[in-house]
Amino acid sequence: MTVTPAETKVLSENQRIANELRNTLGNAGVLSLNFIGSPGAGKTAFLERTLALLAAGTRTAVLTGDIQTENDANRLARYGYPVRQITTAGACHLDARMVERHLQGWNLDDLDLLLIENVGNLVCPTSFDLGEDAKIVVLSVCEGEDKPLKYPGIFRKAELMILNKADLLPYVPFQPALAMEYARQIHPGIAILQTSAVTGVGFEAWLDWLGARLDAKRAAMNETAAAVTGSGAATR
Ligand SMILES: Nc1nc2c(ncn2[C@@H]2O[C@H](COP(=O)(O)OP(=O)(O)O)[C@@H](O)[C@H]2O)c(=O)[nH]1
Ligand SMILES: [Mg+2]
């Protein structure tokens, strides 16, 4: 794919804002996850079940992106966490500026976790860093095993692949082993979880993954605080 000079400028400006966002979120100890997948893969349903199951005391906020409508925000708001819809009015992806703007007014020090549902698309959102700690690709068993080969960019960048709608496996000819093999061809280290946002299958493993990431974020935050205190003491 060739990138025009105008696109390079847009991407480098996005990167600048994303780097600032990553710093700001990191300083506040917020784990930020960017969910990317086709329209209908089940991103919102996955996040809904996640919010329903989150450990008490996990201070969470959600941003959800779509070209039009507040539908997903309305679905996600039922779980009692702060939610904001980002409507992109035509753009096929979220960018770092949109995230920065929609975080305004939220005290990041009061948050542990920021869940970002990107606009449904396997291509465009891949190029736009949102300052997240990890990208998570959501693929459903209705979409074909070869998606990792056709859209390698997002599978290369994602730390975790959620293979959603596992409850439909008895009814579709989709071969999960093949989809996982293709994903690992593109990204050998990718973590993979099979889930169903309808039955809850796989959510225990997902919450373990999430819990480990939240613990790691907390530990990094404590280490930074200890280092700052330590260096302060050393200079006294
Ligand atoms: N059978 C089944 N349907 C699902 C699952 N997850 C989502 N869906 C359905 O798939 C459709 C699209 O889900 P949605 O969450 O809106 O997808 P999004 O566009 O990726 O946010 C809805 O009708 C959901 O009820 C799942 O795990 N199993
Ligand atoms: Mg959605």
Side-chain angles (χ1 to χ4, degrees):
M1 199 177 79
T2 49
V3 180
T4 64
E7 285 166 341
T8 304
K9 191 162 173 253
V10 168
L11 285 173
S12 65
E13 173 66 358
N14 186 75
Q15 195 58 57
R16 188 186 64 74
I17 301 165
N19 293 344
E20 283 174 13
L21 258 179
R22 186 168 284 109
N23 263 339
T24 307
L25 291 165
N27 289 338
V30 182
L31 177 72
S32 169
L33 302 174
N34 179 4
F35 290 79
I36 296 175
S38 309
K43 299 178 296 302
T44 309
F46 182 88
L47 292 177
E48 284 185 82
R49 191 170 272 271
T50 301
L51 295 178
L53 295 174
L54 270 182
T58 314
R59 302 170 304 168
T60 303
V62 189
L63 295 177
T64 181
D66 264 310
I67 289 177
Q68 294 287 349
T69 84
E70 300 258 330
N71 292 357
D72 284 2
N74 292 337
R75 283 166 64 186
L76 290 158
R78 293 193 291 236
Y79 299 85
Y81 295 94
V83 176
R84 284 187 182 149
Q85 182 81 45
I86 306 179
T87 41
T88 63
C92 55
H93 58 269
L94 296 181
D95 64 34
R97 174 77 74 201
M98 295 175 195
V99 171
E100 187 189 44
R101 262 196 223 122
H102 285 80
L103 287 176
Q104 275 170 25
W106 280 346
N107 184 355
L108 298 182
D109 290 326
D110 290 344
L111 285 184
D112 304 312
L113 177 63
L114 176 66
L115 301 168
I116 305 172
E117 177 184 352
N118 218 309
V119 178
N121 190 313
L122 280 173
V123 183
C124 313
T126 308
S127 306
F128 287 82
D129 187 349
L130 303 181
E132 72 276 335
D133 290 284
K135 289 182 172 60
I136 296 179
V137 61
V138 182
L139 177 68
S140 77
V141 304
C142 308
E143 294 170 62
E145 298 89 346
D146 58 353
K147 287 300 168 294
L149 302 180
K150 288 183 174 173
Y151 303 96
I154 182 53
F155 290 87
R156 204 169 285 129
K157 285 191 178 173
E159 272 189 41
L160 172 65
M161 166 171 131
I162 298 290
L163 188 50
N164 192 39
K165 307 199 185 181
D167 56 296
L168 298 181
L169 281 172
Y171 314 106
V172 289
F174 187 92
Q175 299 174 56
L178 194 56
M180 291 193 263
E181 185 188 321
Y182 289 151
R184 290 191 176 114
Q185 266 177 37
I186 299 298
H187 179 173
I190 194 167
I192 301 176
L193 296 174
Q194 283 191 49
T195 63
S196 167
V198 168
T199 67
V201 158
F203 273 71
E204 210 171 307
W206 154 241
L207 291 173
D208 284 349
W209 188 97
L210 183 59
R213 292 301 299 248
L214 283 164
D215 288 347
K217 193 80 191 176
R218 220 167 282 131
M221 178 79 174
N222 290 341
E223 252 173 52
T224 311
V228 169
T229 314
S231 64
T235 53
R236 269 199 292 273

